Amino acid sequence: MTDYYIGDLAEETGTLFGHWADNHLDMNQMVTRYLGSRLRENSDKRYAKYCTQSWDEMADQFPNIYGEQAYDATLCEWLGYFYTYLQGYTKKSSRELIEQYPFLVMYPRSKVLHDLDMDLAIKKVAEQ
């Protein structure tokens, strides 16, 4: 079955993560809360109402948690794409994925993975 929403969802999630990084939020907490949320659970099920929200509509649903560490917004944006496409590839819930592939583990790995083709990066991570 064709996943009509995955591209838009990945783009909006990436923009959301990049926005959070640009605003010096605690990326670990923000990403973990987002991927474990009901919003993301409904997006994983590809309900149109949730998959078609813009990044700023999604951001409004989460209170900001500011952090001390600065994050590279480009890598965080890439991780937004990555987690979305990984969910589509594995069919696991985003909640399961953030437990299996925590942000604090994936962020340093993204420095290498983001140079790969997305399909290759997903296969490298998912098949380990």
Side-chain angles (χ1 to χ4, degrees):
M1 187 167 148
T2 303
D3 189 344
Y4 293 107
Y5 294 111
I6 197 164
D8 290 338
L9 181 59
E11 184 174 336
E12 295 300 328
T13 302
T15 303
L16 176 66
F17 287 14
H19 168 77
W20 284 342
D22 280 339
N23 286 284
H24 306 289
L25 300 186
D26 183 321
M27 290 303 295
N28 182 50
Q29 288 190 52
M30 297 301 291
V31 170
T32 301
R33 285 182 33 220
Y34 168 74
L35 291 176
S37 71
R38 297 275 287 154
L39 167 64
R40 190 56 188 225
E41 179 182 342
N42 287 317
S43 297
D44 289 350
K45 294 175 184 174
R46 299 301 188 260
Y47 295 150
K49 176 181 175 180
Y50 300 95
C51 291
T52 58
Q53 289 186 11
S54 65
W55 70 268
D56 54 333
E57 291 173 313
M58 290 189 272
D60 288 343
Q61 298 175 53
F62 298 91
N64 292 337
I65 300 172
Y66 291 92
E68 301 295 318
Q69 184 175 344
Y71 291 93
D72 182 315
T74 301
L75 293 179
C76 290
E77 183 174 338
W78 183 87
L79 279 167
Y81 281 81
F82 176 80
Y83 279 118
T84 302
Y85 284 116
L86 181 64
Q87 189 280 322
Y89 178 80
T90 64
K91 304 299 184 211
K92 292 181 180 181
S93 72
S94 292
R95 180 173 284 136
E96 289 175 283
L97 292 177
I98 195 62
E99 290 173 7
Q100 188 173 359
Y101 307 105
F103 177 82
L104 291 178
V105 172
M106 293 309 298
Y107 179 75
R109 290 185 71 189
S110 70
K111 293 174 184 174
V112 173
L113 291 171
H114 90 280
D115 286 333
L116 302 175
D117 173 73
M118 183 61 76
D119 290 336
L120 180 57
I122 288 168
K123 288 177 184 171
K124 257 184 144 13
V125 170
E127 294 172 2
Q128 287 182 345

